[in-house]
Amino acid sequence: MAETKVLERKPLSLAERSNLPQIVSGLKTTVSHMFRKKVTLQYPEVRPTLPEGYRGVPTLVHDPHGREKCVSCQLCEFVCPPKAIRITPGEIDPEAETAHVEKAPKEFEIDMLRCIYCGLCEEVCPEEAIFLQDVYSMTGYSREEMVNNKEKLYELGGTLPDHHYKWDKKRAAEDAAKARGYAHS
Amino acid sequence: MAETNGSDTVTVYIDDEPVVVPKGITMIEAAEHVGKEIPHYCYHQKLSVVGNCRMCLVELGWPMKDRATGEPILEEDGSPKIGWGGKPGIACNQPVAEGIRMRTDSDLVRDCRHGVMEFLLVNHPLDCPICDQAGECKLQEYATEYGRGYSRFIEEKNPKPKRTVLGPRVILDDERCILCSRCVRFMQEIPGDDVLGFIDHGSYSTLTCYPGRELDSNYSLNTVDICPVGALTSRDFRFQMRVWFLKPVDSICTESSVGANTQVWAREGKIYRITPRQNDAVNDTWMTDSGRDLYKQVEAEDRLTTPFVRGIEATPVQALRETERLLRPSERVAVVASTHSSVEEQYFLRRIADRTGAQRYAVRHWGEEDGLLLSADRTPNTRGALLTGLLDELPKPDLRELGAAIDRGEIDTVLCIHEDPLACGLTVEQVRKVAWVRMATHASPADEHAFIALPSLTVFERSGTFINQQFRLQKFRAVVPGPAGLLTDLQQLASLNSLLEDGPVASVQPDHAWKELSAEPGPFAGLRFRTLPSEGVALDPGEHARHPFPERQSLKYEADSFLASLPAATTAS
Ligand code: SF4
Ligand code: SF4
Ligand code: SF4
Ligand code: SF4
Ligand code: FES
């Protein structure tokens, strides 16, 4: 066993005993922070700017012509890892202006207690109808309140630009063909 | 190389592998024999061959023969010289022949498939997200497996009518139709109702109904099943649920004594559709439209969901004990048996009837027969009631004989399975005169006068076996759970039997009944529910084949030839 080394303990100096140098150096740090750029926000009055590609609460969107883009293909329901999505598919009223799209969700629910914000629903959607946008704060007093229904999802989603107008083109072609009577003549 | 030896088989070579196959089939079927899929659209096992889609193009070669002498030409090593056709040929229309060769995976074949897929997709809409076929669409599957993988098409697509109502149950989307003519041939060849056809030419070709007609056959939904794409859709199933969420369970159609084999598709306890399951001895790959509607009884408004004793709600166990109390001392019991019950249920009802010395009654449900898959007996299991010994003659048209017995005061308790007494010729007074115990899935006006109501489960909620018109024993399995807290019919009858025998009441599954059924000598000897094959087994009907059954003719049954095919001893009268 090694021999125990005995260290000499020096008594505290007067300056040390007064604590003043410590207070001064601490205050220096504090005061220097007063003049730096702020890193905190007055949340919730002030909100942060979110980086590009931020994955917030999944939402449903309309196209600039006001058409609901989701056609209830249920691919997002299938792909969602925690099974947070629940869709009741439905048929569009044959009298409606978008009748040629044929399908739209009757009900669409996302359980935000289950959602893990993975973004797979946005990735898989063939109609570019579901997006994880910039809403990050979801609160509620009950489990039911934490389930976003179709109405809420569209309210959160709003309108996003459309690059294809696939269905509008489709209807234009259909109308033109109908005017010709479909058959050749 | 195998010689043609006058036997029923020939040897063909698929990708250089020799395969022995039966004569008379085609090369596409020979490939299936060895588990090789040749992609195809227009070919269907049960329909005539038209060879119009060209998806099944393969390279074919024949052993060459000397024209002058007819002698086979040999290679230097002594093997036969093969003459490969200059062009690819279709496998669906090429009968097998001795020594014929087929290449299913060469560069040329792959090129052909790329080309055919490209042509099919030229005018095909981008509808998969809204198309009911997605997930079971041959066009999707083959595009992935055999397609080029990218599109060279930049032109405008060709619009066609999209929501044509063909009939009460079928809608057509012409843009999705690949003009394979399966639906046309089905209507011609199976129901013999030549109502579908193509009009116009080239890219204008359109499927349509004969002028003034609609696709209203009771077999119309089979066209939806065999349509390889989403052109024909069922109006009932349309847009209800994506197929990849549904789980199929093997079942038997209860519409008639044909016993068509089916698959019932459900998700999370809800049934969405019924489709036929192939059984070449019973229904090939078809079923009726009316049989596909039967799942709606599960969620009907008038389901019986609570047991009642003298109009007061009870638990299933209380209701059974109350029933036992009625049956036990009585010597004047009648049972009204049902030919809707499974073999196992009928077996336990027979034991109850034996023990109580009950008089036995049953009502028949007969209708018009259509010669295909809807037979005259509209119940699935009349043969079961006979073979289990529950009944010794065919059910009667109504229950008037029971009514007369009640009027004479011979009966004081009736155990009635499934039937509605008021619809079978009994009066309210007659029902009220006795202690009426009714086990049924749905409410009837008679329940008001019944002493005890025992709710039971539909065919979709229980498991068991039926015996069809060909005396074929077939099994069905529970697809969805029944209403909370209810016991199966089998459990109720088995428990009642145990109570009457002072035996222990235990949980009963179909195989428990089979343990006892298979021990008795007779048609059931040695059979078990668990090991019963999914296509069923043909039973020996013995003397029972001689009852005057109403069925004459259906797709796979013909009364006279059926009788003639039985061993002489059983049919001699
Ligand atoms: S973000 Fe992920 S977990 Fe949330 S709904 Fe979409 S797929 Fe489901
Ligand atoms: S959001 Fe997109 S993926 Fe989900 S159902 Fe609607 S269309 Fe389909
Ligand atoms: S038929 Fe097949 S490929 Fe065509 S839209 Fe429907 S699912 Fe897609
Ligand atoms: S509707 Fe379907 S089955 Fe009929 S021809 Fe068109 S693709 Fe074939
Ligand atoms: S399957 Fe052979 S041509 Fe269509």
Side-chain angles (χ1 to χ4, degrees):
Chain A
M1 183 149 263
E3 212 177 299
T4 310
K5 197 174 171 189
V6 180
L7 288 177
E8 189 201 352
R9 293 175 78 200
K10 287 187 200 141
L12 294 176
S13 69
L14 182 68
E16 280 169 342
R17 267 180 292 147
S18 73
N19 284 333
L20 283 175
Q22 285 76 19
I23 291 173
V24 171
S25 75
L27 274 176
K28 228 159 71 192
T29 309
T30 308
V31 171
S32 78
H33 274 285
M34 287 176 159
F35 299 100
R36 278 207 210 139
K37 200 167 163 272
K38 285 196 194 87
V39 293
T40 53
L41 288 176
Q42 287 299 320
Y43 188 83
E45 287 79 21
V46 184
R47 301 279 174 140
T49 15
L50 298 174
E52 189 87 355
Y54 181 84
R55 298 204 302 253
V57 171
T59 61
L60 291 175
V61 301
H62 285 99
D63 80 357
H65 297 170
R67 185 182 69 79
E68 105 174 83
K69 292 181 81 176
C70 173
V71 299
S72 59
C73 74
Q74 295 183 282
L75 280 177
C76 52
E77 179 174 359
F78 186 68
V79 81
C80 176
K83 300 200 187 311
I85 303 181
R86 177 60 36 151
I87 298 167
T88 314
E91 183 162 8
I92 296 178
D93 177 9
E95 301 302 317
E97 209 194 321
T98 53
H100 66 297
V101 187
E102 298 189 69
K103 257 185 104 174
K106 228 186 267 163
E107 192 39 88
F108 198 123
E109 286 177 347
I110 304 183
D111 186 343
M112 292 316 295
L113 293 174
R114 284 182 159 242
C115 176
I116 54 171
Y117 299 83
C118 65
L120 284 184
C121 48
E122 176 177 331
E123 189 102 349
V124 81
C125 179
E127 298 286 332
E128 300 183 356
I130 189 165
F131 287 92
L132 279 72
Q133 298 190 57
D134 51 3
V135 184
Y136 48 80
S137 156
M138 270 292 297
T139 51
Y141 288 106
S142 64
R143 284 169 187 275
E144 291 72 45
E145 269 178 70
M146 294 302 286
V147 177
N148 286 336
N149 64 11
K150 178 174 160 179
E151 198 186 343
K152 184 81 191 289
L153 288 168
Y154 275 118
E155 192 184 301
L156 290 171
T159 300
L160 284 187
D162 191 322
H163 305 295
H164 314 292
Y165 291 108
K166 158 183 162 185
W167 291 103
D168 291 356
K169 288 182 193 154
K170 174 113 191 147
R171 196 184 38 211
E174 209 177 311
D175 287 348
K178 221 183 257 169
R180 291 196 302 270
Y182 285 113
H184 68 300
S185 42
Chain B
M1 183 178 136
E3 289 295 307
T4 316
N5 46 18
S7 76
D8 293 338
T9 57
V10 289
T11 307
V12 300
Y13 293 77
I14 299 172
D15 296 327
D16 293 330
E17 288 290 320
V19 183
V20 181
V21 294
K23 269 183 190 165
I25 66 171
T26 56
M27 286 307 277
I28 204 170
E29 289 157 344
E32 215 184 302
H33 263 259
V34 289
K36 261 200 184 131
E37 189 195 36
I38 297 181
H40 58 272
Y41 291 109
C42 67
Y43 162 79
H44 187 279
Q45 196 189 351
K46 301 288 172 193
L47 299 176
S48 61
V49 173
V50 288
N52 67 15
C53 75
R54 317 312 282 182
M55 191 62 200
C56 65
L57 285 172
V58 287
E59 279 188 83
L60 292 166
W62 287 264
M64 287 168 77
K65 282 197 176 130
D66 190 308
R67 281 189 194 201
T69 62
E71 284 297 305
I73 304 177
L74 300 182
E75 297 275 11
E76 272 159 28
D77 61 359
S79 63
K81 196 173 162 70
I82 302 299
W84 290 97
K87 293 186 290 184
I90 51 174
C92 67
N93 202 19
Q94 176 59 52
V96 291
E98 191 59 46
I100 193 170
R101 313 258 162 165
M102 174 163 76
R103 289 190 191 133
T104 68
D105 207 18
S106 63
D107 288 344
L108 176 63
V109 172
R110 260 192 298 276
D111 265 0
C112 290
R113 291 173 183 165
H114 284 173
V116 172
M117 279 311 299
E118 184 162 49
F119 276 128
L120 284 175
L121 290 172
V122 155
N123 277 315
H124 200 79
L126 285 167
D127 272 356
C128 299
I130 59 161
C131 176
D132 276 326
Q133 193 81 2
E136 52 183 17
C137 173
K138 286 287 173 219
L139 205 57
Q140 279 186 331
E141 287 168 20
Y142 292 164
T144 320
E145 218 155 320
Y146 306 109
R148 187 177 273 115
Y150 58 91
S151 167
R152 299 186 293 175
F153 194 69
I154 47 165
E155 291 79 358
E156 192 176 76
K157 292 201 183 244
N158 186 8
K160 283 189 182 181
K162 282 192 74 75
R163 285 167 295 283
T164 313
V165 175
L166 284 188
R169 288 172 293 279
V170 182
I171 286 193
L172 165 70
D173 186 316
D174 262 308
E175 284 185 354
R176 297 180 196 155
C177 173
I178 57 166
L179 303 166
C180 71
S181 85
R182 274 184 174 190
C183 54
V184 178
R185 279 173 287 147
F186 170 81
M187 287 309 293
Q188 275 170 357
E189 293 165 20
I190 311 296
D193 180 7
D194 199 357
V195 56
L196 293 178
F198 297 127
I199 51 165
D200 259 322
H201 294 279
S203 68
Y204 294 98
S205 300
T206 305
L207 179 73
T208 186
C209 282
Y210 189 80
R213 278 291 316 275
E214 54 171 12
L215 180 62
D216 53 5
S217 153
N218 194 28
Y219 292 88
S220 66
L221 284 172
N222 291 295
T223 61
V224 176
D225 295 335
I226 59 173
C227 179
V229 295
L232 298 176
T233 49
S234 152
R235 291 175 81 176
D236 183 44
F237 179 62
R238 200 171 146 84
F239 302 158
Q240 294 306 303
M241 189 47 66
R242 304 304 265 176
V243 293
W244 53 74
F245 290 118
L246 303 178
K247 295 222 164 42
V249 177
D250 288 358
S251 189
I252 300 293
C253 181
T254 56
E255 192 188 19
S256 75
S257 59
V258 167
N261 291 208
T262 60
Q263 284 190 314
V264 185
W265 302 73
R267 179 189 188 195
E268 292 171 359
K270 185 174 160 57
I271 300 174
Y272 286 89
R273 66 170 178 184
I274 302 180
T275 55
R277 172 164 56 94
Q278 180 167 4
N279 186 336
D280 291 348
V282 180
N283 56 307
D284 280 345
T285 53
W286 321 121
M287 74 178 289
T288 57
D289 290 3
S290 37
R292 299 175 198 244
D293 258 347
L294 296 181
Y295 75 90
K296 292 181 181 154
Q297 57 178 286
V298 173
E299 289 189 355
E301 296 269 309
D302 58 348
R303 268 308 282 279
L304 272 180
T305 50
T306 16
F308 280 92
V309 176
R310 291 189 199 92
I312 298 166
E313 279 191 24
T315 66
V317 176
Q318 283 168 343
L320 284 176
R321 291 220 173 262
E322 218 36 64
T323 310
E324 179 219 351
R325 214 161 293 158
L326 285 174
L327 294 179
R328 187 187 277 277
S330 171
E331 297 195 327
R332 299 186 295 176
V333 177
V335 297
V336 178
S338 168
T339 50
H340 268 288
S341 297
S342 69
V343 170
E344 300 78 19
E345 292 150 15
Q346 290 169 339
Y347 167 70
F348 279 109
L349 185 63
R350 187 202 87 195
R351 300 231 333 228
I352 293 170
D354 285 351
R355 172 154 294 268
T356 54
Q359 297 186 22
R360 300 165 194 204
Y361 298 90
V363 190
R364 69 191 191 196
H365 299 273
W366 289 1
E368 285 280 308
E369 149 172 297
D370 73 354
L372 280 177
L373 293 172
L374 183 63
S375 67
D377 183 349
R378 295 296 160 74
T379 64
N381 203 19
T382 303
R383 271 68 172 180
L386 297 168
L387 259 54
T388 51
L390 177 59
L391 301 178
D392 48 20
E393 53 179 355
L394 287 185
K396 297 282 158 54
D398 54 39
L399 288 177
R400 273 180 235 277
E401 285 175 25
L402 172 61
I406 293 174
D407 288 339
R408 288 196 300 275
E410 290 169 16
I411 307 289
D412 59 19
T413 307
V414 179
L415 175 57
C416 168
I417 315 291
H418 292 320
E419 300 298 351
D420 176 359
L422 300 184
C424 301
L426 292 192
T427 62
V428 172
E429 289 68 43
Q430 286 165 334
V431 173
R432 295 189 73 107
K433 220 165 163 180
V434 293
W436 195 278
V437 182
R438 181 166 179 270
M439 181 187 287
T441 53
H442 292 75
S444 107
D447 290 341
E448 205 180 307
H449 314 291
F451 213 71
I452 299 177
L454 302 170
S456 76
L457 301 184
T458 66
V459 66
F460 304 105
E461 297 155 338
R462 50 192 231 266
S463 302
T465 52
F466 292 135
I467 301 175
N468 82 348
Q469 57 181 356
Q470 301 150 296
F471 285 92
R472 176 176 275 273
L473 181 70
Q474 310 191 97
K475 70 176 166 189
F476 58 92
R477 289 190 178 278
V479 185
V480 294
L486 295 193
L487 302 177
T488 61
D489 305 35
L490 178 63
Q491 181 69 56
Q492 299 192 61
L493 291 168
S495 303
L496 194 54
N497 181 52
S498 300
L499 287 172
L500 289 167
E501 285 179 352
D502 294 315
V505 175
S507 157
V508 176
Q509 301 296 328
D511 236 7
H512 293 99
W514 279 97
K515 220 188 227 162
E516 298 170 29
L517 275 169
S518 63
E520 298 178 8
F524 300 133
L527 292 172
R528 278 303 170 85
F529 181 76
R530 216 167 298 191
T531 51
L532 191 67
S534 62
E535 71 276 9
V537 293
L539 300 178
D540 173 13
E543 290 298 301
H544 292 292
R546 280 193 286 128
H547 291 286
F549 294 112
E551 298 94 341
R552 301 314 320 157
Q553 162 106 48
S554 55
L555 189 65
K556 300 281 173 174
Y557 175 82
E558 207 276 305
D560 296 331
S561 51
F562 178 74
L563 274 182
S565 73
L566 294 172
T570 64
T571 51
S573 36

